Amino acid sequence: MLRNGSLRVCSDKVRVTSKIYEIAYTVCIVISLVAMLLTFITYQTFPKLRNVPGLCLMNLLAALFVANFIFLFNDDFATLPEVCVGMAALSHYTWLASFAWMSVLSYNMARTFGTHSMQLNTSSDTKTRLMKYSLYAWGLPFLVMTMGLALHFCDCVDGFVFRYGGNSTCWITDGLALFFSVGIPVAVMLTFDLIVFLYTGVSLRRSRNAVKRVRINNGSSNDLLIELAVNTRLFILLGITWIFGFVQYLWPVTVWKVVFLVSNSLQGLFIFIMFVMKKRVLKMWLDLFSTCRIEEQTPTTKAIEDIPKPSNVPAIMSQL
């Protein structure tokens, strides 16, 4: 504080801190993009993984990948006004689609824990469910983006300005428009995800207690670790970590900024660890590489076609 009562802001320190956050966020996004790509390739390679939750996860990865990729090169797009408008609209669409697919996974989770969740679904049931999910998760964000583009070009609502683009970044320029077109939809979907998360946690606890009553050796400590791992997995998968973004906005302290940066910029890496770095999936890759080696060593041997074996109904958590 100066003698005249004014404040001198250490702008250099602020710029350095912002630059550190920017570099850290960029590195985390790149890592996350690579991890999402590897996860998508894994699910595309092995049909056994492509049940309803697996297909929903693939759609989530596609939306998240595009959204993060655009965000990574946002500053470059800003130099081209027409391209910037298109990238802002696409970014708006893919971010809303990402949250919509997280809500789909939440709904599918609640459905899984329902009373009729363990019925075996046919191929037609799977296609019907996936079509309904896609209509919501891809269609509704597209409708919102279309309305945004209409408002952007027509400017037909008095007192309400909706603009895609920007001078330094490609996004929605007006704060009120951002609140209605992003803030409210995301808040609603995150609230739904949080409710499902709490419902799932209660259901897991009830299931664990029921199993303990019928087992002689309950192994409670191991069950508790499994329950904790599943809850952590759901917390990240359902996008509940994005709540830290609202917390950071309402309570702007460094700790929330760091938590928000790490938990969301590395969401793709967390998904990769949870869904690819598992014994079952790693064994699939090992078996695939072993088969390729055998075929290379015996080129004259006719390859044996893989015969699909009837699989048992998976346990609830293995469907994630």
Side-chain angles (χ1 to χ4, degrees):
M1 179 179 289
L2 303 179
R3 291 182 180 180
N4 60 5
S6 62
L7 292 173
R8 176 180 293 171
V9 180
C10 299
S11 58
D12 291 340
K13 184 177 180 181
V14 172
R15 281 196 295 267
V16 170
T17 304
S18 300
K19 191 65 177 179
I20 292 174
Y21 281 130
E22 181 182 349
I23 294 173
Y25 195 80
T26 301
V27 171
C28 291
I29 287 294
V30 172
I31 294 173
S32 190
L33 287 172
V34 174
M36 283 189 282
L37 184 60
L38 292 175
T39 306
F40 190 91
I41 291 174
T42 298
Y43 273 72
Q44 184 64 35
T45 302
F46 303 108
K48 289 183 179 180
L49 299 176
R50 296 200 297 271
N51 51 14
V52 172
L55 292 171
C56 291
L57 180 64
M58 292 178 71
N59 281 275
L60 170 61
L61 290 170
L64 268 179
F65 185 92
V66 176
N68 281 280
F69 185 84
I70 293 175
F71 190 86
L72 189 64
F73 296 98
N74 217 333
D75 296 341
D76 299 323
F77 295 136
T79 59
L80 304 171
E82 293 78 8
V83 175
C84 187
V85 170
M87 289 298 103
L90 182 58
S91 181
H92 184 202
Y93 173 59
T94 51
W95 277 119
L96 287 182
S98 299
F99 285 102
W101 277 109
M102 293 176 199
S103 294
V104 166
L105 286 166
S106 300
Y107 172 78
N108 192 72
M109 176 62 58
R111 188 177 185 275
T112 301
F113 277 96
T115 54
H116 303 289
S117 62
M118 296 308 293
Q119 293 180 353
L120 183 62
N121 294 315
T122 63
S123 177
S124 59
D125 293 335
T126 299
K127 291 180 179 179
T128 302
R129 285 172 58 192
L130 190 63
M131 188 178 298
K132 291 178 180 178
Y133 290 162
S134 298
L135 186 62
Y136 159 74
W138 290 119
L140 191 59
F142 183 79
L143 179 62
V144 174
M145 182 202 66
T146 303
M147 293 173 60
L149 284 172
L151 292 172
H152 172 87
F153 288 109
C154 78
D155 195 17
C156 47
V157 180
D158 294 334
F160 184 76
V161 179
F162 192 103
R163 286 288 183 273
Y164 286 122
N167 296 324
S168 59
T169 183
C170 302
W171 189 227
I172 301 170
T173 58
D174 184 72
L176 185 61
L178 182 65
F179 174 75
F180 281 108
S181 62
V182 178
I184 290 179
V186 169
V188 170
M189 288 185 282
L190 284 179
T191 301
F192 175 75
D193 295 344
L194 182 59
I195 293 172
V196 172
F197 174 74
L198 296 175
Y199 168 74
T200 304
V202 172
S203 300
L204 281 173
R205 175 56 59 90
R206 289 177 179 173
S207 300
R208 190 168 70 90
N209 291 337
V211 171
K212 283 169 61 177
R213 285 195 295 267
V214 299
R215 288 195 308 190
I216 299 176
N217 183 14
N218 54 57
S220 58
S221 60
N222 186 48
D223 289 343
L224 186 61
L225 290 175
I226 293 176
E227 183 180 346
L228 179 62
V230 169
N231 285 329
T232 303
R233 184 176 178 178
L234 291 176
F235 192 80
I236 297 172
L237 176 64
L238 302 184
I240 301 175
T241 53
W242 283 90
I243 291 178
F244 295 132
F246 289 92
V247 175
Q248 173 202 343
Y249 179 79
L250 298 173
W251 188 9
V253 294
T254 303
V255 62
W256 292 123
K257 190 171 184 177
V258 173
V259 170
F260 177 69
L261 184 148
V262 173
S263 61
N264 293 290
S265 61
L266 290 176
Q267 186 177 9
L269 177 62
F270 295 144
I271 291 175
F272 173 78
I273 293 172
M274 292 185 299
F275 290 93
V276 177
M277 301 302 292
K278 299 191 301 184
K279 290 183 179 179
R280 173 172 169 252
V281 179
L282 292 177
K283 186 177 183 302
M284 290 180 179
W285 277 115
L286 289 174
D287 291 343
L288 179 64
F289 291 143
S290 298
T291 303
C292 292
R293 280 199 212 97
I294 292 174
E295 290 179 351
E296 289 176 359
Q297 293 173 0
T298 57
T300 57
T301 305
K302 184 178 180 180
I304 301 175
E305 296 181 353
D306 292 331
I307 302 175
K309 297 179 180 179
S311 58
N312 297 326
V313 179
I316 289 179
M317 296 318 303
S318 66
Q319 293 187 20
L320 289 175

